[in-house]
Amino acid sequence: GRSLSYEQAEGFFSNPSYSACVFTIGWLCECVKMLPRERRGALLELYCGNGNHTAALAPYFGRVVGVEVHPRLVNAATRNVARNRAANAALARELAGGESADDAVCAVEVLAVPSAKFCGRALATKGQSLGSRAGGGGAEPFE
């Protein structure tokens, strides 16, 4: 399996149990693998925190946007996505049957947003309210 590495932002919630964290990430990845490929176009993760799930799920989607309200967590999530890029690229290539999948792995971004209200709008509009904030966002909804 793939080995992921994370930076934890001190003073913020994270799962204190290593084994529960590993189990949760494994369970999420298994759930996503059950979705047909055509349903795995984009993932919008609200309140992504340090990017724990954002980084782990990145190879399974064509585009991933993590949204967070706290600047320190946005920074940690951005670094965690970058830190796990090589492991995710290898898995994405494997999932794509050996084809180059670097573009899919590159399509991960973490956005700082001003409030919980903003996140509510993003959810209600399936991400369309992100507009120009998300590099490729706004035009296509997140399903």
Short mmCIF file of all heavy atoms in Angstrom, two decimals, residues 9 11-14 44-54 64-78 80-81 109-120 122 130 133:
data_model
loop_
_atom_site.label_atom_id
_atom_site.label_comp_id
_atom_site.label_asym_id
_atom_site.label_seq_id
_atom_site.Cartn_x
_atom_site.Cartn_y
_atom_site.Cartn_z
N ALA A 9 -1.24 20.54 12.50
CA ALA A 9 -1.19 21.92 12.97
C ALA A 9 -1.46 21.91 14.47
O ALA A 9 -2.53 21.50 14.91
CB ALA A 9 -2.22 22.77 12.24
N GLY A 11 -2.52 22.66 18.14
CA GLY A 11 -3.62 23.41 18.72
C GLY A 11 -4.94 23.22 18.00
O GLY A 11 -5.94 23.84 18.35
N PHE A 12 -4.98 22.36 16.97
CA PHE A 12 -6.20 22.11 16.22
C PHE A 12 -6.57 20.64 16.34
O PHE A 12 -5.73 19.79 16.55
CB PHE A 12 -6.02 22.48 14.74
CG PHE A 12 -5.88 23.94 14.53
CD1 PHE A 12 -4.62 24.53 14.51
CD2 PHE A 12 -6.99 24.75 14.37
CE1 PHE A 12 -4.48 25.88 14.33
CE2 PHE A 12 -6.85 26.11 14.19
CZ PHE A 12 -5.60 26.68 14.16
N PHE A 13 -7.85 20.36 16.17
CA PHE A 13 -8.32 18.99 16.28
C PHE A 13 -7.71 18.12 15.18
O PHE A 13 -7.61 18.52 14.03
CB PHE A 13 -9.84 18.90 16.17
CG PHE A 13 -10.33 17.48 16.09
CD1 PHE A 13 -10.45 16.72 17.25
CD2 PHE A 13 -10.61 16.89 14.88
CE1 PHE A 13 -10.87 15.40 17.18
CE2 PHE A 13 -11.03 15.58 14.80
CZ PHE A 13 -11.16 14.83 15.96
N SER A 14 -7.31 16.95 15.55
CA SER A 14 -6.99 15.89 14.61
C SER A 14 -7.27 14.59 15.34
O SER A 14 -7.36 14.57 16.57
CB SER A 14 -5.52 15.96 14.15
OG SER A 14 -4.67 15.72 15.23
N LEU A 44 -15.36 17.81 -3.49
CA LEU A 44 -15.33 19.04 -2.71
C LEU A 44 -15.36 18.64 -1.25
O LEU A 44 -16.32 18.03 -0.78
CB LEU A 44 -16.55 19.92 -3.05
CG LEU A 44 -16.76 21.16 -2.18
CD1 LEU A 44 -15.60 22.14 -2.34
CD2 LEU A 44 -18.09 21.82 -2.53
N GLU A 45 -14.28 18.95 -0.52
CA GLU A 45 -14.23 18.62 0.90
C GLU A 45 -14.30 19.91 1.71
O GLU A 45 -13.37 20.73 1.68
CB GLU A 45 -12.95 17.87 1.26
CG GLU A 45 -12.94 17.46 2.71
CD GLU A 45 -11.70 16.75 3.17
OE1 GLU A 45 -10.69 16.70 2.44
OE2 GLU A 45 -11.73 16.25 4.30
N LEU A 46 -15.41 20.10 2.41
CA LEU A 46 -15.59 21.27 3.25
C LEU A 46 -14.94 21.02 4.61
O LEU A 46 -15.01 19.91 5.14
CB LEU A 46 -17.07 21.59 3.42
CG LEU A 46 -17.82 21.90 2.12
CD1 LEU A 46 -19.30 22.11 2.41
CD2 LEU A 46 -17.23 23.10 1.43
N TYR A 47 -14.34 22.07 5.17
CA TYR A 47 -13.64 21.96 6.46
C TYR A 47 -12.60 20.85 6.40
O TYR A 47 -12.59 19.93 7.21
CB TYR A 47 -14.63 21.73 7.62
CG TYR A 47 -15.68 22.79 7.72
CD1 TYR A 47 -16.96 22.57 7.26
CD2 TYR A 47 -15.36 24.04 8.24
CE1 TYR A 47 -17.93 23.57 7.34
CE2 TYR A 47 -16.31 25.04 8.33
CZ TYR A 47 -17.60 24.80 7.87
OH TYR A 47 -18.55 25.78 7.94
N CYS A 48 -11.71 20.96 5.44
CA CYS A 48 -10.72 19.89 5.20
C CYS A 48 -9.63 19.81 6.25
O CYS A 48 -8.84 18.87 6.26
CB CYS A 48 -10.11 20.04 3.81
SG CYS A 48 -9.04 21.47 3.62
N GLY A 49 -9.57 20.78 7.16
CA GLY A 49 -8.56 20.73 8.22
C GLY A 49 -7.15 20.70 7.66
O GLY A 49 -6.81 21.50 6.79
N ASN A 50 -6.35 19.74 8.11
CA ASN A 50 -4.97 19.65 7.65
C ASN A 50 -4.83 18.88 6.34
O ASN A 50 -3.73 18.60 5.89
CB ASN A 50 -4.08 19.03 8.73
CG ASN A 50 -4.29 17.54 8.86
OD1 ASN A 50 -5.35 17.03 8.50
ND2 ASN A 50 -3.32 16.84 9.40
N GLY A 51 -5.94 18.53 5.72
CA GLY A 51 -5.89 17.84 4.43
C GLY A 51 -5.72 16.33 4.54
O GLY A 51 -5.40 15.68 3.56
N ASN A 52 -5.98 15.79 5.71
CA ASN A 52 -5.82 14.36 5.94
C ASN A 52 -6.58 13.53 4.90
O ASN A 52 -5.99 12.68 4.22
CB ASN A 52 -6.32 14.06 7.36
CG ASN A 52 -5.95 12.71 7.87
OD1 ASN A 52 -4.99 12.11 7.42
ND2 ASN A 52 -6.71 12.23 8.82
N HIS A 53 -7.86 13.80 4.74
CA HIS A 53 -8.66 13.07 3.76
C HIS A 53 -8.44 13.61 2.36
O HIS A 53 -8.48 12.85 1.39
CB HIS A 53 -10.14 13.12 4.14
CG HIS A 53 -10.42 12.47 5.45
ND1 HIS A 53 -11.35 12.96 6.34
CD2 HIS A 53 -9.87 11.39 6.06
CE1 HIS A 53 -11.38 12.20 7.41
NE2 HIS A 53 -10.49 11.24 7.27
N THR A 54 -8.21 14.90 2.25
CA THR A 54 -7.98 15.52 0.94
C THR A 54 -6.82 14.83 0.23
O THR A 54 -6.93 14.43 -0.94
CB THR A 54 -7.66 17.03 1.10
OG1 THR A 54 -8.61 17.62 1.97
CG2 THR A 54 -7.64 17.74 -0.23
N VAL A 64 -9.83 17.80 -7.03
CA VAL A 64 -10.16 17.85 -5.61
C VAL A 64 -9.97 19.28 -5.11
O VAL A 64 -8.93 19.89 -5.36
CB VAL A 64 -9.26 16.89 -4.79
CG1 VAL A 64 -9.56 17.01 -3.30
CG2 VAL A 64 -9.43 15.46 -5.26
N VAL A 65 -10.98 19.79 -4.42
CA VAL A 65 -10.87 21.09 -3.79
C VAL A 65 -11.21 20.92 -2.31
O VAL A 65 -12.29 20.45 -1.96
CB VAL A 65 -11.83 22.14 -4.41
CG1 VAL A 65 -11.77 23.46 -3.66
CG2 VAL A 65 -11.49 22.34 -5.89
N GLY A 66 -10.24 21.26 -1.46
CA GLY A 66 -10.45 21.27 -0.02
C GLY A 66 -10.71 22.71 0.39
O GLY A 66 -10.04 23.63 -0.08
N VAL A 67 -11.69 22.92 1.24
CA VAL A 67 -12.07 24.26 1.69
C VAL A 67 -11.91 24.31 3.21
O VAL A 67 -12.35 23.41 3.92
CB VAL A 67 -13.53 24.57 1.29
CG1 VAL A 67 -13.97 25.91 1.84
CG2 VAL A 67 -13.69 24.52 -0.21
N GLU A 68 -11.25 25.36 3.69
CA GLU A 68 -11.01 25.50 5.13
C GLU A 68 -11.10 26.97 5.51
O GLU A 68 -10.74 27.84 4.72
CB GLU A 68 -9.64 24.92 5.48
CG GLU A 68 -9.25 25.01 6.93
CD GLU A 68 -10.26 24.41 7.89
OE1 GLU A 68 -10.60 23.22 7.77
OE2 GLU A 68 -10.73 25.17 8.77
N VAL A 69 -11.58 27.24 6.73
CA VAL A 69 -11.73 28.62 7.18
C VAL A 69 -10.52 29.14 7.95
O VAL A 69 -10.33 30.35 8.03
CB VAL A 69 -13.02 28.83 8.02
CG1 VAL A 69 -14.25 28.57 7.19
CG2 VAL A 69 -13.03 27.94 9.25
N HIS A 70 -9.70 28.28 8.52
CA HIS A 70 -8.57 28.75 9.33
C HIS A 70 -7.27 28.75 8.51
O HIS A 70 -6.87 27.73 7.97
CB HIS A 70 -8.38 27.90 10.58
CG HIS A 70 -7.55 28.60 11.60
ND1 HIS A 70 -6.19 28.72 11.47
CD2 HIS A 70 -7.90 29.27 12.72
CE1 HIS A 70 -5.72 29.42 12.49
NE2 HIS A 70 -6.74 29.77 13.26
N PRO A 71 -6.60 29.90 8.42
CA PRO A 71 -5.39 30.01 7.60
C PRO A 71 -4.28 29.01 7.96
O PRO A 71 -3.62 28.50 7.06
CB PRO A 71 -4.91 31.45 7.86
CG PRO A 71 -6.13 32.18 8.31
CD PRO A 71 -6.98 31.17 9.03
N ARG A 72 -4.08 28.70 9.24
CA ARG A 72 -3.02 27.74 9.59
C ARG A 72 -3.34 26.34 9.08
O ARG A 72 -2.46 25.61 8.67
CB ARG A 72 -2.80 27.72 11.11
CG ARG A 72 -1.99 28.94 11.56
CD ARG A 72 -1.61 28.94 13.02
NE ARG A 72 -1.02 27.70 13.49
CZ ARG A 72 -1.14 27.26 14.75
NH1 ARG A 72 -1.82 27.95 15.64
NH2 ARG A 72 -0.57 26.13 15.11
N LEU A 73 -4.62 25.99 9.10
CA LEU A 73 -5.02 24.69 8.57
C LEU A 73 -4.93 24.66 7.05
O LEU A 73 -4.56 23.64 6.46
CB LEU A 73 -6.43 24.32 9.05
CG LEU A 73 -6.52 23.97 10.53
CD1 LEU A 73 -7.98 23.82 10.96
CD2 LEU A 73 -5.72 22.73 10.87
N VAL A 74 -5.26 25.77 6.40
CA VAL A 74 -5.09 25.86 4.94
C VAL A 74 -3.63 25.62 4.58
O VAL A 74 -3.33 24.85 3.67
CB VAL A 74 -5.57 27.23 4.41
CG1 VAL A 74 -5.18 27.42 2.95
CG2 VAL A 74 -7.07 27.37 4.59
N ASN A 75 -2.72 26.26 5.31
CA ASN A 75 -1.29 26.09 5.04
C ASN A 75 -0.85 24.65 5.26
O ASN A 75 -0.11 24.08 4.46
CB ASN A 75 -0.46 27.05 5.90
CG ASN A 75 -0.65 28.49 5.50
OD1 ASN A 75 -1.03 28.78 4.37
ND2 ASN A 75 -0.42 29.40 6.42
N ALA A 76 -1.31 24.04 6.36
CA ALA A 76 -0.95 22.64 6.65
C ALA A 76 -1.50 21.71 5.58
O ALA A 76 -0.80 20.81 5.10
CB ALA A 76 -1.46 22.23 8.03
N ALA A 77 -2.75 21.93 5.17
CA ALA A 77 -3.36 21.08 4.14
C ALA A 77 -2.61 21.21 2.81
O ALA A 77 -2.36 20.21 2.13
CB ALA A 77 -4.83 21.45 3.96
N THR A 78 -2.25 22.43 2.45
CA THR A 78 -1.51 22.65 1.21
C THR A 78 -0.18 21.91 1.25
O THR A 78 0.22 21.26 0.27
CB THR A 78 -1.29 24.17 0.98
OG1 THR A 78 -2.58 24.80 0.91
CG2 THR A 78 -0.52 24.44 -0.28
N ASN A 80 0.51 19.28 3.12
CA ASN A 80 0.27 17.84 3.16
C ASN A 80 -0.08 17.28 1.78
O ASN A 80 0.33 16.18 1.44
CB ASN A 80 -0.82 17.50 4.18
CG ASN A 80 -0.28 17.59 5.60
OD1 ASN A 80 0.90 17.39 5.84
ND2 ASN A 80 -1.15 17.91 6.53
N VAL A 81 -0.82 18.04 0.99
CA VAL A 81 -1.11 17.62 -0.37
C VAL A 81 0.19 17.52 -1.16
O VAL A 81 0.45 16.54 -1.85
CB VAL A 81 -2.12 18.58 -1.05
CG1 VAL A 81 -2.16 18.36 -2.55
CG2 VAL A 81 -3.50 18.41 -0.43
N GLU A 109 -6.40 21.42 -4.92
CA GLU A 109 -6.14 22.74 -4.36
C GLU A 109 -6.87 22.89 -3.04
O GLU A 109 -7.87 22.22 -2.78
CB GLU A 109 -6.53 23.84 -5.33
CG GLU A 109 -7.97 23.80 -5.79
CD GLU A 109 -8.24 24.79 -6.90
OE1 GLU A 109 -7.82 25.95 -6.80
OE2 GLU A 109 -8.89 24.38 -7.88
N VAL A 110 -6.32 23.74 -2.20
CA VAL A 110 -6.92 24.03 -0.90
C VAL A 110 -7.22 25.52 -0.86
O VAL A 110 -6.34 26.34 -1.11
CB VAL A 110 -5.98 23.63 0.26
CG1 VAL A 110 -6.63 23.93 1.60
CG2 VAL A 110 -5.59 22.16 0.16
N LEU A 111 -8.47 25.84 -0.56
CA LEU A 111 -8.90 27.24 -0.56
C LEU A 111 -9.18 27.73 0.85
O LEU A 111 -9.80 27.03 1.65
CB LEU A 111 -10.19 27.39 -1.37
CG LEU A 111 -10.17 26.94 -2.82
CD1 LEU A 111 -11.57 27.09 -3.42
CD2 LEU A 111 -9.17 27.76 -3.60
N ALA A 112 -8.75 28.93 1.13
CA ALA A 112 -9.10 29.61 2.37
C ALA A 112 -10.39 30.38 2.10
O ALA A 112 -10.48 31.12 1.13
CB ALA A 112 -8.00 30.58 2.78
N VAL A 113 -11.39 30.17 2.94
CA VAL A 113 -12.66 30.88 2.77
C VAL A 113 -12.97 31.66 4.04
O VAL A 113 -12.48 31.32 5.12
CB VAL A 113 -13.81 29.91 2.40
CG1 VAL A 113 -13.54 29.24 1.07
CG2 VAL A 113 -14.05 28.89 3.49
N PRO A 114 -13.78 32.70 3.93
CA PRO A 114 -13.96 33.62 5.06
C PRO A 114 -14.84 33.13 6.21
O PRO A 114 -14.70 33.63 7.32
CB PRO A 114 -14.58 34.85 4.40
CG PRO A 114 -15.24 34.35 3.17
CD PRO A 114 -14.41 33.18 2.72
N SER A 115 -15.76 32.17 5.95
CA SER A 115 -16.69 31.84 7.03
C SER A 115 -17.39 30.52 6.82
O SER A 115 -17.37 29.96 5.72
CB SER A 115 -17.76 32.93 7.14
OG SER A 115 -18.58 32.91 5.98
N ALA A 116 -18.04 30.06 7.88
CA ALA A 116 -18.87 28.86 7.79
C ALA A 116 -20.05 29.11 6.84
O ALA A 116 -20.49 28.20 6.14
CB ALA A 116 -19.37 28.48 9.16
N LYS A 117 -20.54 30.33 6.80
CA LYS A 117 -21.63 30.68 5.90
C LYS A 117 -21.21 30.45 4.44
O LYS A 117 -21.99 29.95 3.63
CB LYS A 117 -22.01 32.15 6.11
CG LYS A 117 -23.28 32.57 5.43
CD LYS A 117 -23.52 34.05 5.72
CE LYS A 117 -24.97 34.29 5.97
NZ LYS A 117 -25.27 35.68 6.26
N PHE A 118 -19.97 30.79 4.13
CA PHE A 118 -19.44 30.57 2.79
C PHE A 118 -19.46 29.08 2.46
O PHE A 118 -19.83 28.68 1.36
CB PHE A 118 -18.01 31.13 2.69
CG PHE A 118 -17.46 31.09 1.30
CD1 PHE A 118 -17.55 32.19 0.47
CD2 PHE A 118 -16.84 29.95 0.83
CE1 PHE A 118 -17.05 32.15 -0.82
CE2 PHE A 118 -16.32 29.90 -0.45
CZ PHE A 118 -16.43 31.00 -1.28
N CYS A 119 -19.06 28.25 3.43
CA CYS A 119 -19.07 26.80 3.22
C CYS A 119 -20.49 26.29 2.99
O CYS A 119 -20.70 25.41 2.15
CB CYS A 119 -18.44 26.08 4.41
SG CYS A 119 -16.65 26.30 4.51
N GLY A 120 -21.45 26.86 3.70
CA GLY A 120 -22.85 26.49 3.50
C GLY A 120 -23.31 26.79 2.09
O GLY A 120 -24.00 25.97 1.46
N ALA A 122 -21.34 26.97 -0.54
CA ALA A 122 -20.63 26.05 -1.42
C ALA A 122 -21.34 24.70 -1.47
O ALA A 122 -21.50 24.11 -2.53
CB ALA A 122 -19.18 25.88 -0.96
N LEU A 130 -18.16 28.69 -5.54
CA LEU A 130 -16.72 28.94 -5.40
C LEU A 130 -16.22 29.81 -6.54
O LEU A 130 -15.23 30.51 -6.40
CB LEU A 130 -15.94 27.62 -5.38
CG LEU A 130 -16.21 26.70 -4.20
CD1 LEU A 130 -15.47 25.39 -4.38
CD2 LEU A 130 -15.82 27.36 -2.90
N ARG A 133 -12.64 31.36 -7.29
CA ARG A 133 -11.74 30.99 -6.19
C ARG A 133 -11.05 29.67 -6.47
O ARG A 133 -9.91 29.46 -6.13
CB ARG A 133 -12.48 30.88 -4.87
CG ARG A 133 -12.83 32.19 -4.25
CD ARG A 133 -13.58 31.92 -2.95
NE ARG A 133 -13.90 33.13 -2.28
CZ ARG A 133 -13.17 33.64 -1.31
NH1 ARG A 133 -12.08 33.05 -0.91
NH2 ARG A 133 -13.53 34.76 -0.73
#
